[in-house]
Amino acid sequence: MLDNMGHPNRLGVWGWLGGGKWGLERYLYTLHRLTGLGLLLYFLLHIFVTSARAFGPEAWVTSMGRVSGGVFVFGEFMVFGAFAFHAANGVRLVLVELGWAIGSPIEPVYPYRTSVHEQRPLALGIMVVAGLLVLAGGLDFFILH
């Protein structure tokens, strides 16, 4: 596999995970991918656990007994946190891709203009919104529940 400059990619998976000099947007990209995969895994496990209901009330009670307790409540909170981040970052990505947040694309003429100064405040604002959602969810999960 070759990189953009035509050189072989010697980093392999570490090139995707390690990143080198990453900016905030690259971390958000990686976290968006990981939370998406985590939510997909949770969805599949949820389907598997709730399918026990088709086998009668005893199977349902047994299945739900296996996934209850403190560890699973924390796990559900982590799923909620992943959902809050993934949704908020998804909204940011839609706004950026449609050009509503940073304006229309310009012709790439040297010296190249970067959109980091327009994207960074949006990214930070969306992460504040995601953090507030996680705090509100934690209040519901652990205090009001």
Side-chain angles (χ1 to χ4, degrees):
M1 176 177 262
L2 301 177
D3 64 7
N4 292 347
M5 303 293 283
H7 302 102
N9 178 6
R10 295 189 181 105
L11 297 177
V13 174
W14 180 247
W16 185 76
L17 294 174
K21 295 181 179 180
W22 281 12
L24 174 67
E25 290 76 17
R26 182 63 190 238
Y27 284 112
L28 293 178
Y29 165 78
T30 302
L31 193 55
H32 193 79
R33 273 191 167 192
L34 293 175
T35 56
L37 292 173
L39 290 171
L40 177 63
L41 177 65
Y42 173 77
F43 175 70
L44 295 174
L45 290 173
H46 178 74
I47 296 293
F48 179 74
V49 169
T50 56
S51 68
R53 190 157 178 96
F55 300 109
E58 302 85 26
W60 173 251
V61 169
T62 302
S63 178
M64 291 309 294
R66 289 184 184 144
V67 293
S68 61
V71 172
F72 289 100
V73 171
F74 181 73
E76 287 178 345
F77 174 69
M78 294 300 291
V79 167
F80 175 76
F83 170 75
F85 168 78
H86 196 80
N89 195 46
V91 168
R92 178 187 72 88
L93 292 173
V94 166
L95 293 174
V96 168
E97 288 298 321
L98 292 177
W100 296 344
I102 61 171
S104 300
I106 61 171
E107 186 176 345
V109 177
Y110 186 81
Y112 304 118
R113 196 181 78 122
T114 179
S115 65
V116 169
H117 298 295
E118 287 85 13
Q119 285 191 38
R120 181 92 17 109
L122 178 64
L124 293 175
I126 289 293
M127 293 307 101
V128 167
V129 169
L132 291 173
L133 285 172
V134 170
L135 286 175
L139 181 69
D140 182 52
F141 265 89
F142 299 115
I143 296 174
L144 300 176
H145 190 254

